[in-house]
Amino acid sequence: MKPSIFLNDMLTKGAILGGVMLVSSIAETAMFCYGGSLTWITVASVEILVAMAVYCYLVYRFTKGYANLVIAERKDMPYFSYGSGLSYAISISMLAGVIVALGGFMFRHYIIGYEEYIASYVQTLKNSLSQTEIPASMIGTYDQMFKAIESQDEPSLISSILSSVWSYLLSGTIVGLIVAAKTKREPKIFENQENKDEQ
């Protein structure tokens, strides 16, 4: 199998996966920052669940497509190993993580503005908490949490990328373990030998 098959397909499908997940991430950020209510937080939570389902489906579909390419390339003994499926799923996930981190960083820092992003995020949390009954003993804890969020240093681009890649590495590994089992194809050694003998 040519190495370019893996690289070309991984880059293409990883970019598509990253683009889809970036749109989802931006939508979630916008709902938290501009929604400002418990209703929008609920909508964002549903969107996160939908995005997770779409992510799993795309990883499976892309891995299966890559498996078909590999099997077609190995004409004499077509097979697709479990390890190949797992490494492919992890690779496109990590590339997606880079794209999500880059796009999310630009959206938060240059379109919204990081200070405005933090202020809007905290205000949304306060608005949602105001719609629920909070024990008096917990008010101080929430105030400390809000102050900690507001005082945290602005993350760098590198740290944002590393954090996102690590998250998608874990997701890709978990989903990939299942997807690889579904897409693997064992080599049919005896069948191929019988075909050669008949020829």
Side-chain angles (χ1 to χ4, degrees):
M1 183 188 67
K2 300 177 181 178
S4 59
I5 294 178
F6 172 83
L7 186 61
N8 292 338
D9 198 71
M10 184 272 290
L11 291 176
T12 301
K13 299 306 192 300
I16 294 173
L17 181 63
V20 172
M21 300 312 294
L22 174 59
V23 170
S24 171
S25 177
I26 289 176
E28 293 161 15
T29 302
M31 280 186 268
F32 268 99
C33 290
Y34 300 123
S37 66
L38 184 60
T39 301
W40 279 106
I41 292 180
T42 303
V43 173
S45 299
V46 173
E47 194 278 336
I48 290 172
L49 294 176
V50 172
M52 290 173 60
V54 171
Y55 167 79
C56 293
Y57 169 74
L58 289 179
V59 171
Y60 170 72
R61 179 179 176 181
F62 293 155
T63 305
K64 185 176 181 180
Y66 173 65
N68 291 334
L69 288 175
V70 172
I71 290 171
E73 181 72 14
R74 294 168 170 161
K75 298 178 181 179
D76 294 336
M77 188 180 293
Y79 70 94
F80 186 72
S81 68
Y82 183 90
S84 296
L86 179 59
S87 62
Y88 180 84
I90 292 175
S91 297
I92 62 174
S93 294
M94 292 179 66
L95 178 56
V98 174
I99 293 172
V100 171
L102 288 172
F105 183 89
M106 294 180 66
F107 182 71
R108 289 189 302 271
H109 293 255
Y110 299 111
I111 296 179
I112 297 179
Y114 187 74
E115 292 183 359
E116 180 64 24
Y117 164 71
I118 292 296
S120 300
Y121 183 81
V122 170
Q123 187 59 49
T124 297
L125 293 178
K126 290 181 178 179
N127 291 344
S128 63
L129 289 174
S130 67
Q131 299 177 32
T132 60
E133 294 184 4
I134 303 174
S137 59
M138 294 296 296
I139 294 177
T141 302
Y142 283 120
D143 286 339
Q144 291 179 0
M145 180 185 71
F146 294 144
K147 289 178 181 179
I149 294 174
E150 292 171 335
S151 62
Q152 66 182 356
D153 295 332
E154 181 177 351
S156 66
L157 176 59
I158 297 300
S159 63
S160 297
I161 291 176
L162 291 177
S163 176
S164 180
V165 169
W166 174 250
S167 175
Y168 275 83
L169 170 62
L170 293 177
S171 300
T173 301
I174 294 171
V175 176
L177 289 170
I178 301 172
V179 168
K182 293 289 186 180
T183 57
K184 72 173 182 177
R185 178 174 170 182
E186 299 295 341
K188 298 180 180 179
I189 301 175
F190 296 107
E191 180 179 309
N192 290 327
Q193 185 62 44
E194 289 176 0
N195 292 336
K196 289 181 179 179
D197 293 340
E198 291 177 358
Q199 294 175 359

